[in-house]
Amino acid sequence: MLSTAKSLKGYRLDSLDGEIGKVKEFYFDDRYWAIRYLVASTGYWLPGRQVLISPHALVVIERNIYNLTIKIDLTKKQIENSPSLNSDQPVSRQFEDSYSGYYGYPAYWSGAFMWGAYPYPMRDREQWKTPPQKEKEWDAHLRSTHAVTGYHIQALDGEIGHVEDFIIDDETWAIRYLLVGTKNWWPGKKVLVSPQWIERVSWDERKVFVNLGRETIKESPEFTEESLLTRDYEIGLFGHYNRKGYWADELAGKTH
């Protein structure tokens, strides 16, 4: 299911033995544009440290009018004893090595797929015993969704707006789209931009460069808060840009 990052913030995080806090924000990498960690707001439980939860530990998301919860396959003690990261520190590779080793998670930065040896987060520990596919490791540069919100979007022929939100696939935990507000150019219109269409990101300039023209973006299917992100909508969006949908590659990956 596709959800906005903002709509997931505030969801309760339930461990195997009780609530640990609520979703605060997300860390994603700048290669696959995949969510690597949920950041938990834990109140007074573990003050002064960032509590990170890997998608490998996420069991199910429960959505109804009485219950907005993400269930986690960890105990409070496991989380409390996990490698500590101060709230003012970035997520380093050294920390990620310690974190993955502590939980026994497969390393996402080594392998042929979005999640290393796997196309999806693997929640079955028996499957983690599968030898990873040999591929050179890559250095992940993690960014928070909160920090990147507000970045300007630069088309081939000028700016078109700024990042307002992120559309997340809660099965693969990939960021499928950046939600772009264009109020300074086309009042009231919001559009979606796939990470596949991003040419580069200038973190210093706080700009995302896309290989699309402004007029083409302007004529793309509009996104509204009431829009249903159905596969038909996505097919129309990718068709507008004459691009292949991300689901084609993932379906191919499932068959190998």
Side-chain angles (χ1 to χ4, degrees):
M1 180 175 178
L2 299 180
S3 306
T4 65
K6 288 180 180 177
S7 72
L8 291 172
K9 290 179 182 179
Y11 270 52
R12 190 174 73 191
L13 295 168
D14 274 357
S15 71
L16 293 173
D17 52 358
E19 182 179 345
I20 67 162
K22 300 183 186 303
V23 177
K24 180 181 178 182
E25 60 178 314
F26 305 88
Y27 278 113
F28 67 93
D29 75 85
D30 59 359
R31 175 172 177 174
Y32 284 100
W33 289 75
I35 300 297
R36 299 307 181 184
Y37 303 101
L38 281 67
V39 183
S41 174
T42 60
Y44 296 105
W45 178 42
L46 296 174
R49 62 179 280 191
Q50 294 189 74
V51 174
L52 305 184
I53 306 296
S54 166
H56 287 299
L58 305 182
V59 179
V60 67
I61 299 179
E62 296 182 347
R63 298 177 174 91
N64 59 61
I65 59 174
Y66 304 108
N67 188 29
L68 299 174
T69 301
I70 301 177
K71 292 191 175 296
I72 304 168
D73 187 23
L74 300 170
T75 66
K76 285 185 173 182
K77 183 59 71 174
Q78 281 180 296
I79 296 169
E80 187 175 1
N81 292 339
S82 67
S84 180
L85 182 67
N86 292 339
S87 294
D88 58 351
Q89 289 182 341
V91 181
S92 66
R93 174 50 55 82
Q94 181 180 5
F95 171 82
E96 289 196 276
D97 281 334
S98 297
Y99 182 94
S100 296
Y102 172 78
Y103 285 115
Y105 294 148
Y108 68 79
W109 53 86
S110 179
F113 300 103
M114 182 185 297
W115 287 94
Y118 315 100
Y120 297 91
M122 301 303 292
R123 300 178 181 91
D124 183 351
R125 290 178 179 268
E126 290 300 315
Q127 296 186 52
W128 295 352
K129 296 178 181 178
T130 304
Q133 297 187 22
K134 297 296 182 182
E135 184 170 291
K136 184 178 180 181
E137 293 187 354
W138 53 279
D139 290 327
H141 301 287
L142 299 185
R143 315 285 173 175
S144 80
T145 51
H146 175 75
V148 177
T149 298
Y151 272 38
H152 291 281
I153 303 293
Q154 182 80 22
L156 293 172
D157 48 358
E159 285 191 10
I160 63 163
H162 63 277
V163 178
E164 285 196 358
D165 207 344
F166 302 82
I167 308 292
I168 298 170
D169 182 334
D170 62 26
E171 182 181 1
T172 63
W173 289 93
I175 293 176
R176 296 304 185 192
Y177 305 101
L178 277 61
L179 174 57
V180 180
T182 65
K183 61 183 179 182
N184 292 336
W185 286 268
W186 313 305
K189 184 168 184 176
K190 296 180 181 181
V191 296
L192 299 181
V193 170
S194 167
Q196 294 182 14
W197 311 330
I198 293 174
E199 194 171 76
R200 65 184 179 92
V201 180
S202 173
W203 305 109
D204 293 334
E205 297 178 88
R206 294 175 56 85
K207 277 188 177 182
V208 179
F209 292 79
V210 297
N211 54 6
L212 304 168
R214 294 177 78 232
E215 196 61 31
T216 304
I217 297 172
K218 181 179 179 181
E219 294 173 355
S220 69
E222 183 176 6
F223 178 83
T224 67
E225 300 302 327
E226 294 75 30
S227 295
L228 292 176
L229 278 171
T230 62
R231 184 48 52 85
D232 285 344
Y233 177 94
E234 293 185 282
I235 289 172
L237 180 66
F238 276 80
H240 171 76
Y241 290 112
N242 196 28
R243 305 292 177 94
K244 183 174 66 172
Y246 62 82
W247 50 89
D249 290 334
E250 292 187 356
L251 287 173
K254 279 184 176 181
T255 62
H256 288 81

